[in-house]
Amino acid sequence: MISSSHTTHTEENTMLQQIVTHTPIYVWLLLAFLVSRGIAASRDRVLPLRRVFVIPAVLLVLSVQDMAHRFGLDAAPVLGWLAGASAATLLAWRATAPAQVDRAAGTVLQRGSWLPLALMLATFVTKYAVAVACAVRPDLAAGAGFAATAGALYGVFNGLFVGRALRCLPRAAATPAHINAMS
């Protein structure tokens, strides 16, 4: 006699195998790209300023595309995204030290950190989990609460990347010239 726990365990393994084998190849390629970028971010490096915005832009496009495809650009996911992105951008802006920018060369020194890899993996896992949940239970995508939560999570990750990237923008002089002229 086969126990019910054995049957449940076998069903779970079969379901996990189905999920992994039905995941499109481009998803695994995207994961490999994100891991490679995360490992690169673990080392100090000098980058052209525009490259600082590549990962935030890619993840932003993927989030908007996923929300539009999965939930439509309805109020729930969009408002969730806006709330999450706004809060996380502000948090990352305040928590991230300003970068060393060479205005003349148009480069930025990025200090090595494992945080970008952790954030990229968290973003990937969240998007993967939402996709799997919607594939297993298509009715979830129609729920405003689920859509808002997914949108908010996407927004938080986007905001954390954007806030960190914005700290790399060259800052204006502390006292603008027109204020000095008025003194």
Side-chain angles (χ1 to χ4, degrees):
M1 179 172 160
I2 297 177
S3 71
S4 65
S5 66
H6 177 69
T7 303
T8 303
H9 183 68
T10 303
E11 289 171 355
E12 288 173 357
N13 282 341
T14 301
M15 185 173 167
L16 287 173
Q17 288 172 346
Q18 290 293 317
I19 290 168
V20 170
T21 58
H22 286 88
T23 299
I25 296 294
Y26 75 86
V27 172
W28 303 121
L29 294 174
L30 176 61
L31 177 60
F33 169 75
L34 293 174
V35 168
S36 72
R37 298 311 326 143
I39 291 170
S42 72
R43 296 183 289 274
D44 289 356
R45 61 204 194 288
V46 176
L47 300 170
L49 188 56
R50 68 184 179 281
R51 285 221 10 234
V52 170
F53 293 93
V54 170
I55 293 295
V58 166
L59 294 175
L60 174 67
V61 167
L62 290 173
S63 289
V64 171
Q65 179 186 29
D66 193 50
M67 284 190 315
H69 168 74
R70 202 162 309 288
F71 309 113
L73 292 177
D74 295 331
V78 171
L79 292 175
W81 185 89
L82 286 171
S86 299
T89 298
L90 181 60
L91 175 68
W93 171 263
R94 288 187 173 176
T96 304
Q100 295 176 3
V101 178
D102 182 341
R103 287 182 187 210
T107 59
V108 61
L109 169 64
Q110 282 205 314
R111 294 289 177 195
S113 171
W114 289 103
L115 182 61
L117 176 61
L119 290 174
M120 285 185 265
L121 291 177
T123 302
F124 179 87
V125 167
T126 299
K127 291 175 66 51
Y128 193 81
V130 167
V132 169
C134 288
V136 172
R137 294 248 337 261
D139 60 303
L140 287 176
F146 185 80
T149 301
L153 286 170
Y154 294 172
V156 164
F157 293 125
N158 289 149
L160 291 172
F161 279 103
V162 168
R164 286 175 49 100
L166 290 175
R167 286 306 243 167
C168 295
L169 289 177
R171 292 175 304 285
T175 308
H178 71 278
I179 292 176
N180 282 337
M182 296 168 128
S183 305

